[in-house]
Amino acid sequence: MTALVAQSFNIKGIVQGVGFRPWIFQLAKRFQLTGHVLNDGQGVSILVQGPEMALAGFRAALDTERPPLCRIDELTVSHAQVQDLQDFTIAHSSSEQAAAIVTVGSDKSSCDACLAEIRDPNNRHFGYPFTNCTHCGPRYTIIRNLPYDRHNTAMAGFALCDACRQAYEDPMDRRYHAQPVSCPKCGPELTLRGAGGEILAKREQALAQTIALIEQGKILAIKGLGGFHLICDAGNHDAVTELRRRKCRPAKPLALMMPSIEFAKQYAEGSSAEWQLLSSQERPIVLMAKKQHQADAPALSSAIAPDIDRLGLFLPYTPLHTLLLDGLQRPLVATSANRSGEPIITDGDEVLQQLGKPPLAVVDAVLDHNRPIINGCDDSVVQMLDDELQVLRLARGYAPLSLPSKSLASMNIVSKSLANKDSDNSSNKLPSLLAVGPQQKNTLALNIGNQLYLSPHIGDLFSVEAEGYFERTLQSFHRLYRFEPETIIRDKHPDYASSRWAERQSAPKFRVQHHFAHLLAVMAANDYSGKVLGFSFDGTGLGDDNQLWGGELLLADCQGFQRLATLSPMTLLGGEQAIREPWRLLYSLLLHNHGIEELQQLAVFAAEPATKLANLGKLANSGIGPKSHSIGRLFDAAAALLANLRLSQYEGQAGIILETLARRAIAAGKQQSAEKLGLELKLEHELEPTNSRAELVLGQWQSAPLFSALLQAWRTEPDSELLALAFIQAIGKGIITAALKARNWLKAEGIDELPLVLSGGVFQSRLLSEYCHRELARLEFHRLKPGLVPVNDGGIALGQLWYGLHQPGLTQSLAER
């Protein structure tokens, strides 16, 4: 008789709610093993018993096969005692959560099998808008508590019918323990309501009437996975302009949901990587190049993305969206249902309250359903830089983002040794920290042991509603992980809503400078804690000298940074008003080398009274007023000159307009002409430092000479496309030149070559980033890539967390308790 061997497996990662246990069950049956598998607060526990060769096959399959949505972060194997076991079973989940470190999965789009079922008249899921299985569907947005079992989700109130229960309990069925599983007999149902709340239709009729209303040019709020969309026919210009008017969104581009990838190819051009991204199971909004209108394609409203050459496209990601677009067969505008600047709305009654009542009525009707959204989650926004993914908004499909850190795991081992404790529960040796992020594009970050978590996009914290969404997201993570932070990390700016919240808490606090946190976020994405050379370019952020930074070259590690270079300061004429009115920034920069009377003759300033310009000139010359070192403000000023952008209507508008102009120049073959203009963002010292260790050892990028040269070129040849390209090239060359100077300075200081980081919202400029990536690669710089971590302020919280986890004494003090 063959000798039996028993082994115990403990697996952490994304292993709950993804069909992992039935897959283990099927593996055990294949290798004729006995034992059991169960979910617990740590992940999944497995006991398998059988001949040694069979166990070896089982172990190999764990590495080479896996369910599509599964991710194993940590797998430990230990010998177990052989027992009298006759079969392999799936045991009931353990509710123990004292140290829950299960990774909550993100919501995924419908799989092909489920889509085939809702389109098959002979299938019991035909036309059912809530069809899903373990390979697709909602996760984060429906979960209340861990472990991920039905009674802990938004489906707790829906009793399974006999057919669904049979699938749910059959380990060989792809719906085995798919917690949202349901069908028309036992699951959620649609309800169409008028703007006044009256019920217009239910179930299939609700969908049919919704399609009819959209065809009539109406604006509807429709419930998705993580919130409501405002939806209208993208080809109906009156409907699109009316949506803009009602939502008070005059210019910011609107996202488009396409019926299929074939449909999308009628309106956009892209690389194979972009098309793969568009059709990935994450289904993000992908920024792609507009295609010239084809005669055989239904026209899109010109109001969708006015004056820019990009479209934000995404494909249906729920059965409801699929059925809707199958019926309409036309592109739809699908933008977040909210009042401008506020978070996405997740409740139908709230939609009616905020968007259905005069005088601020936005929607004509609401397509709702009775499966609650437990955790709100917006749509992710991404773009491709050559073949590198860049996340602009981390949300549905990607978030919550979990990053297991091997380097922090080694800190756990050190802590365990210091504490002289048993080997179990080692994940708790690292302190649990909470990072509360910045004011704009806010996210939260926390850790459970060596697992780092970055929340979905919360948004800008400028309203009571946004601050409430911030607190609800925080409560969701408290509820899921039952953690209490031992330390809170916040931005140094005292007036950020997140900073004020942190200061009201009793836990100890760390403060992290904004641009330093940008670099730390990329370091965290790479599980890297050594020194880096980092360019941190964005719109604003409080510096250590209480000025506004945003054009920084830093030598940094997890303990601190040295500021090697910065952009020369410009005066914000009128304070924050200068950010809203970019002509003020241009005026401030040009005053360095041009007189007031000369500037009054320029068209961009012609609308302003001479006395106003004279007074602003005196203010600039006095040296009074807030100063900014922001590269982002340079883009605003350039757009004011080259595109007559006098009023910024949304964040990043200037950069988007300049890129549009520059890409037109490239399409027209003007690259060499742009090079010949010789525009430069020079890095130099106004006064030579007395020694190499002085502050700003590499000097300042000189912005005033750049704009004086830009103005001269504009007067000589007012080609806005050519000059936009030359401007972006000048910024890129300024970065590359600084990187080379820094490399030489480090070498002289006896410091080995360091990895490079490019971070901050300015690097959302596709042309700028692609130029820098190529040149840095050519010059053999090693660049740390941000991966799924947003390059803009959406990554700040992760950087704050990375800083906190590397502060001396935290591990030691915890071990001594």
Side-chain angles (χ1 to χ4, degrees), residues 371-423:
R371 185 179 70 197
I373 296 173
I374 307 300
N375 305 304
C377 194
D378 218 320
D379 295 314
S380 290
V381 181
V382 303
Q383 64 179 355
M384 295 298 295
L385 308 177
D386 290 326
D387 286 333
E388 181 179 327
L389 172 65
Q390 184 183 74
V391 175
L392 308 180
R393 183 166 74 196
L394 182 79
R396 177 190 48 76
Y398 298 111
L401 178 63
S402 62
L403 298 170
S405 168
K406 292 182 179 179
S407 65
L408 289 177
S410 68
M411 290 173 63
N412 276 342
I413 294 170
V414 171
S415 175
K416 182 180 71 176
S417 174
L418 288 168
N420 193 26
K421 293 186 178 180
D422 295 332
S423 60

Side-chain angles (χ1 to χ4, degrees), residues 536-558:
S536 192
F537 286 6
D538 64 5
T540 191
L542 185 66
D544 284 349
D545 57 3
N546 287 321
Q547 289 194 2
L548 298 175
W549 292 6
E552 316 307 320
L553 173 55
L554 308 178
L555 173 62
D557 59 22
C558 290

Side-chain angles (χ1 to χ4, degrees), residues 376-683:
C377 194
D378 218 320
D379 295 314
S380 290
V381 181
V382 303
Q383 64 179 355
M384 295 298 295
L385 308 177
D386 290 326
D387 286 333
E388 181 179 327
L389 172 65
Q390 184 183 74
V391 175
L392 308 180
R393 183 166 74 196
L394 182 79
R396 177 190 48 76
Y398 298 111
L401 178 63
S402 62
L403 298 170
S405 168
K406 292 182 179 179
S407 65
L408 289 177
S410 68
M411 290 173 63
N412 276 342
I413 294 170
V414 171
S415 175
K416 182 180 71 176
S417 174
L418 288 168
N420 193 26
K421 293 186 178 180
D422 295 332
S423 60
D424 64 330
N425 247 2
S426 63
S427 61
N428 289 331
K429 302 305 184 287
L430 277 169
S432 290
L433 309 183
L434 170 68
V436 296
Q439 181 77 355
Q440 294 178 276
K441 296 181 174 64
N442 182 267
T443 55
L444 299 167
L446 59 97
N447 74 294
I448 306 292
N450 67 310
Q451 283 279 351
L452 313 183
Y453 297 96
L454 184 61
S455 79
H457 169 83
I458 294 172
D460 300 343
L461 304 182
F462 291 121
S463 68
V464 172
E465 289 80 5
E467 291 186 35
Y469 192 58
F470 167 91
E471 296 211 21
R472 288 196 299 276
T473 303
L474 180 60
Q475 288 165 7
S476 292
F477 280 86
H478 276 303
R479 187 178 65 248
L480 289 171
Y481 292 108
R482 299 187 185 180
F483 83 107
E484 288 297 329
E486 299 173 55
T487 301
I488 297 173
I489 309 101
R490 69 165 179 87
D491 193 277
K492 278 194 171 182
H493 200 302
D495 293 329
Y496 284 177
S498 54
S499 298
R500 294 196 306 268
W501 180 90
E503 290 306 313
R504 293 195 296 269
Q505 312 309 308
S506 59
K509 272 75 102 176
F510 284 129
R511 296 183 301 161
V512 185
Q513 198 278 328
H514 187 94
H515 302 92
F516 178 34
H518 268 307
L519 306 186
L520 289 161
V522 179
M523 293 164 67
N526 289 271
D527 200 9
Y528 180 82
S529 56
K531 289 185 179 297
V532 298
L533 268 175
F535 291 86
S536 192
F537 286 6
D538 64 5
T540 191
L542 185 66
D544 284 349
D545 57 3
N546 287 321
Q547 289 194 2
L548 298 175
W549 292 6
E552 316 307 320
L553 173 55
L554 308 178
L555 173 62
D557 59 22
C558 290
Q559 304 307 318
F561 65 89
Q562 180 182 355
R563 195 183 187 201
L564 301 183
T566 189
L567 182 69
S568 56
M570 70 189 87
T571 301
L572 298 179
L573 297 175
E576 290 190 5
Q577 195 170 357
I579 298 172
R580 295 189 295 272
E581 299 178 1
W583 66 265
R584 293 172 178 264
L585 299 167
L586 176 65
Y587 191 59
S588 174
L589 288 164
L590 292 176
L591 280 170
H592 285 266
N593 296 303
H594 302 271
I596 294 174
E597 292 184 0
E598 177 190 355
L599 296 180
Q600 286 176 342
Q601 307 307 312
L602 295 177
V604 68
F605 304 125
E608 304 303 326
T611 53
K612 180 178 180 179
L613 293 175
N615 289 335
L616 289 175
K618 291 177 183 177
L619 180 63
N621 292 331
S622 72
I624 299 172
K627 303 292 189 295
S628 171
H629 297 263
S630 166
I631 297 286
R633 300 284 82 86
L634 293 191
F635 277 76
D636 292 342
L641 177 64
L642 303 179
N644 198 30
L645 181 66
R646 294 184 47 78
L647 179 66
S648 183
Q649 295 173 300
Y650 59 90
E651 186 187 5
Q653 183 179 14
I656 293 172
I657 290 174
L658 288 177
E659 272 214 63
T660 297
L661 294 172
R663 276 192 286 263
R664 290 174 184 163
I666 292 171
K670 298 179 181 179
Q671 295 95 317
Q672 289 188 348
S673 297
E675 290 274 358
K676 288 179 181 178
L677 290 174
L679 293 185
E680 292 183 275
L681 182 63
K682 291 183 178 179
L683 178 62

Side-chain angles (χ1 to χ4, degrees), residues 680-710:
E680 292 183 275
L681 182 63
K682 291 183 178 179
L683 178 62
E684 58 187 30
H685 290 281
E686 294 183 6
L687 296 173
E688 288 298 319
T690 56
N691 62 72
S692 64
R693 296 189 182 280
E695 172 72 359
L696 297 176
V697 295
L698 298 181
Q700 295 184 346
W701 286 284
Q702 302 300 316
S703 54
L706 169 63
F707 273 80
S708 187
L710 189 65

Side-chain angles (χ1 to χ4, degrees), residues 68 73 196 218 249 274 448 502 543 594 638 665:
D73 296 334
K218 302 299 183 182
R249 184 171 172 167
E274 287 175 311
I448 306 292
H594 302 271

Side-chain angles (χ1 to χ4, degrees), residues 157-439:
F158 296 94
L160 292 166
C161 67
D162 290 344
C164 284
R165 180 166 295 282
Q166 182 178 354
Y168 183 83
E169 294 179 348
D170 180 0
M172 306 305 288
D173 194 293
R174 80 175 199 279
R175 290 196 167 90
Y176 177 80
H177 279 217
Q179 305 309 339
V181 67
S182 61
C183 74
K185 289 184 178 179
C186 63
E189 63 178 37
L190 296 175
T191 301
L192 179 66
R193 293 194 281 176
E198 68 279 12
I199 295 176
L200 303 177
K202 288 195 170 188
R203 300 173 73 90
E204 295 86 353
Q205 284 303 309
L207 181 61
Q209 288 193 32
T210 295
I211 291 172
L213 288 171
I214 292 172
E215 290 175 333
Q216 294 166 23
K218 302 299 183 182
I219 298 168
L220 276 78
I222 296 180
K223 194 173 188 178
L225 286 179
F228 281 79
H229 286 115
L230 295 177
I231 282 180
C232 69
D233 180 355
N236 187 324
H237 184 70
D238 290 341
V240 176
T241 53
E242 180 64 10
L243 173 60
R244 285 197 175 280
R245 186 193 69 79
R246 293 183 188 181
K247 201 182 177 187
C248 302
R249 184 171 172 167
K252 189 175 181 180
L254 297 165
L256 294 175
M257 187 179 286
M258 292 286 171
S260 65
I261 197 163
E262 292 74 23
F263 231 99
K265 287 181 177 180
Q266 298 180 82
Y267 301 98
E269 296 177 324
S271 65
S272 59
E274 287 175 311
W275 293 119
Q276 288 173 17
L277 182 59
L278 186 72
S279 56
S280 68
Q281 201 163 13
E282 288 76 20
R283 287 291 198 275
I285 296 172
V286 183
L287 304 186
M288 301 183 71
K290 278 183 183 176
K291 193 173 189 176
Q292 189 171 5
H293 177 64
Q294 298 177 326
D296 58 343
L300 297 177
S301 166
S302 59
I304 287 167
D307 303 321
I308 63 175
D309 66 347
R310 297 271 139 176
L311 290 173
L313 306 182
F314 63 138
L315 297 180
Y317 57 85
T318 70
L320 174 57
H321 293 130
T322 299
L323 293 168
L324 182 68
L325 282 156
D326 280 358
L328 285 162
Q329 284 300 302
R330 68 187 71 188
L332 298 178
V333 168
T335 187
S336 301
N338 55 7
R339 291 193 295 225
S340 185
E342 294 184 1
I344 189 169
I345 300 174
T346 60
D347 178 76
D349 290 338
E350 189 177 349
V351 169
L352 291 168
Q353 181 66 32
Q354 290 195 27
L355 306 179
K357 292 185 176 181
L360 299 175
V362 176
V363 299
D364 297 310
V366 177
L367 183 62
D368 200 356
H369 60 73
N370 57 338
R371 185 179 70 197
I373 296 173
I374 307 300
N375 305 304
C377 194
D378 218 320
D379 295 314
S380 290
V381 181
V382 303
Q383 64 179 355
M384 295 298 295
L385 308 177
D386 290 326
D387 286 333
E388 181 179 327
L389 172 65
Q390 184 183 74
V391 175
L392 308 180
R393 183 166 74 196
L394 182 79
R396 177 190 48 76
Y398 298 111
L401 178 63
S402 62
L403 298 170
S405 168
K406 292 182 179 179
S407 65
L408 289 177
S410 68
M411 290 173 63
N412 276 342
I413 294 170
V414 171
S415 175
K416 182 180 71 176
S417 174
L418 288 168
N420 193 26
K421 293 186 178 180
D422 295 332
S423 60
D424 64 330
N425 247 2
S426 63
S427 61
N428 289 331
K429 302 305 184 287
L430 277 169
S432 290
L433 309 183
L434 170 68
V436 296
Q439 181 77 355

